[in-house]
Amino acid sequence: RIMLHTPVMLDVTLPSGSGIPMREIQKDLYAIGKNIIWMNFSGNDFNETDLSILKNMTNIEKLRLERNPLGDEVVTLLSDLKYLEALNMNETRLTDDGLTRLKQHPSLKRIYAWKTFVQEKN
């Protein structure tokens, strides 16, 4: 893995309902993106455009996106995250199609999809 400067691994949480728009924190997240291994964006009203920042978080292992207005389009943003092991998509608009695509991610071991549009059979 390529880390910035010293090998510091970060667990970053943006408090749920913070009201902070992505444009205000984007520059800071770009600066430390390669060092983030756990990221929590839950409950911050972020959409797929806001989350384009994820492409810079190449070492992320655990990602919490629950309670955001996200649908299946977010799957494309996650495809290059080769260390991603756990993803929380609870209370989003994820569908069976999105879940099927997520299951094809080579490193993803756990996907949480409670209160989504995914059918129980999955």
Side-chain angles (χ1 to χ4, degrees), residues 22-33 36 53 56:
M22 182 58 75
R23 68 181 177 278
E24 288 184 18
I25 58 173
Q26 190 169 5
K27 185 176 179 182
D28 293 327
L29 288 175
Y30 271 119
I32 62 171
I36 298 172
I53 185 92
N56 190 54

Side-chain angles (χ1 to χ4, degrees), residues 63-67 86-92 110-114:
L63 180 59
R64 294 185 61 180
L65 299 176
E66 72 266 26
R67 296 186 328 272
L87 174 65
N88 189 322
M89 291 290 292
N90 290 340
E91 299 182 58
T92 64
R110 290 178 306 281
I111 304 166
Y112 302 94
W114 178 69

Side-chain angles (χ1 to χ4, degrees), residues 63-67 70-72 74-75 86-100 102-103 108-122:
L63 180 59
R64 294 185 61 180
L65 299 176
E66 72 266 26
R67 296 186 328 272
L70 301 169
D72 295 342
V74 77
V75 176
L87 174 65
N88 189 322
M89 291 290 292
N90 290 340
E91 299 182 58
T92 64
R93 296 187 308 248
L94 186 69
T95 68
D96 291 325
D97 180 57
L99 181 62
T100 298
L102 284 171
K103 287 180 178 179
L108 202 49
K109 297 174 184 161
R110 290 178 306 281
I111 304 166
Y112 302 94
W114 178 69
K115 286 193 174 181
T116 62
F117 295 106
V118 171
Q119 302 299 313
E120 284 189 42
K121 63 182 170 146
N122 285 307

Side-chain angles (χ1 to χ4, degrees), residues 3 12 31 35 37 53 56-57 59-60 72 80 90 100 103:
M3 303 296 257
V12 178
N35 294 79
I37 59 168
I53 185 92
N56 190 54
M57 298 179 187
N59 290 304
I60 201 157
D72 295 342
D80 291 332
N90 290 340
T100 298
K103 287 180 178 179

